[in-house]
Amino acid sequence: MARGSVHCLIVSRIGDPVNRPSVLHVKVATRKGLVVSDIRQQVATVAEDHLNRLSNLIDEFVDGTIGVF
């Protein structure tokens, strides 16, 4: 079974909180037969949850507890 994928583009303004971007564009490629409009609310909920946890992610990155590459 093929998996879907998601790509996010986040654009924020200098001085504004990173977790409240000016633009959040989520591009979803679904598995065969799954219609994006059927999961739109779930995608929005997941994106909002990740934005709300972004400050924790930044702290973990600064502390060195997670790596980028």
Side-chain angles (χ1 to χ4, degrees):
M1 171 170 37
R3 292 185 168 190
S5 64
V6 177
H7 296 264
C8 293
L9 172 68
I10 299 174
V11 178
S12 62
R13 292 186 178 180
I14 294 173
D16 286 350
V18 150
N19 62 340
R20 296 294 168 231
S22 299
V23 175
L24 173 61
H25 178 78
V26 180
K27 183 177 180 180
V28 178
T30 63
R31 294 183 299 222
K32 187 175 182 179
L34 185 60
V35 181
V36 173
S37 61
D38 291 345
I39 61 169
R40 185 177 310 276
Q41 184 56 49
Q42 291 170 301
V43 170
T45 299
V46 169
E48 185 173 338
D49 180 55
H50 278 75
L51 284 174
N52 289 334
R53 294 187 296 141
L54 198 54
S55 61
N56 293 341
L57 180 65
I58 292 169
D59 290 342
E60 291 174 9
F61 175 71
V62 170
D63 291 342
T65 56
I66 61 170
V68 177
F69 298 99

